Amino acid sequence: MENAQEAFRAVLSAGLRDLAGVISVHEFGVFAAAYLRQQLNLPGNSDSQGVLFFRDKYLQKSQLPPEVRRARARYASRTTPYAKIAEELGKPFVVKPAIGAGSLRTEVVRSAEEYHRALEPFPGESDVDLVTESFVDAPEIYMDGIWQGGDLHRRSLTHYHSSPLSAVHGRVLEAHLLDERLHPDLFEQAENLTKRVLKTLEAPDCVFHLEAYVEQDGLTFGECAIRLPGALSPQLVQLTYGVGLFDAEISLALGLSVSLPPAVRPPEHFHGYLLLRRPDHRSLTREDFGRTFNFEKLTYSSSPDTPPGPYGRVGEAIVSDPDDRRLSRTIEFVRFNETGGT
């Protein structure tokens, strides 16, 4: 999906001449989608250069003004010494793909040995495929929403119980929507940060996903993408607020303005999700979950033949509650899944 030439050749070779639009529901396809719109004179965002500031983590952070606090970042390669990066960024630091997604091939590095192991998945063919960043050790939140006409039209705020990075290394990925009435200061900070970032980077009309770290003295910017959020976040937004992010993405790709339902504040229920893993030391079934917890949605495969998806996923669950504090406690059942029911 990242190879715009391949995508363009595929369209031309298929003889697709009467196209209405181009859409990608994955971050890896955002650049190619913009390039195809440009070449085929299609609606939606066609600024392939502007897209790069929402894909490359170094370009993005280097473009932001000084008042936006973020991790220090620099490109690195296989020839960049560990000591040089540690001196510049401090220890530990993070190694990640410059245009990666979902924390894949991302590692927190605490030693020269860990640094060299973190470099192994990278082919070393590019001077800009690898970014190193200073490590921010703080809880993570993310804001999803719709940016249209240079302003924020809808947004939701979600808290990660465990980060995507920890989920890559064996934790269950889970998150839940926050209630603005209980977290007014956090919502205000996140909204102000989002507006500053999207305006500075000259975001097109888009569905966006912005991540930040919650530190004692305020928010530290993580990264921002102009695409649908991953995992089950679109479903949480739809169930809680009645806003269809998938529908918004399609409308924008067709050159249409996004029509939104009247705002519902506060929602009747807040929702959270879990991407369920197969535990290491015990066999669990769907019925094991169902006997203990109530779900709005639950899928789970206990078959050893089921190949795990991203984050070790063999199932998924959506839970809800009128009170996001109780919802947070419900989601703590992750211990049940991670330990095999003990």
Side-chain angles (χ1 to χ4, degrees), residues 14-122:
L16 301 177
R17 301 294 181 185
D18 187 20
L19 297 175
V22 179
I23 189 170
S24 171
V25 296
H26 194 287
E27 186 169 356
F28 287 163
V30 173
F31 178 85
Y35 178 78
L36 288 174
R37 295 182 193 118
Q38 181 186 76
Q39 294 299 313
L40 299 170
N41 195 30
L42 293 170
N45 177 46
S46 60
D47 181 7
S48 53
Q49 176 176 304
V51 163
L52 289 177
F53 289 94
F54 290 94
R55 291 287 288 117
D56 186 293
K57 308 305 187 292
Y58 173 78
L59 289 177
Q60 184 169 97
K61 290 181 171 66
S62 65
Q63 190 80 356
L64 296 176
E67 61 268 24
V68 175
R69 187 169 57 188
R70 70 275 199 184
R72 301 184 306 282
R74 57 158 291 167
Y75 289 124
S77 70
R78 287 180 173 271
T79 61
T80 309
Y82 167 78
K84 182 177 179 62
I85 300 175
E87 179 182 0
E88 185 174 332
L89 301 180
K91 295 186 290 186
F93 59 84
V94 178
V95 172
K96 63 170 64 173
I99 52 175
S103 295
L104 299 177
R105 295 189 294 164
T106 298
E107 300 287 346
V108 178
V109 168
R110 296 176 172 83
S111 67
E113 292 74 19
E114 290 181 353
Y115 175 62
H116 294 300
R117 283 199 299 271
L119 295 181
E120 289 176 0
F122 296 91

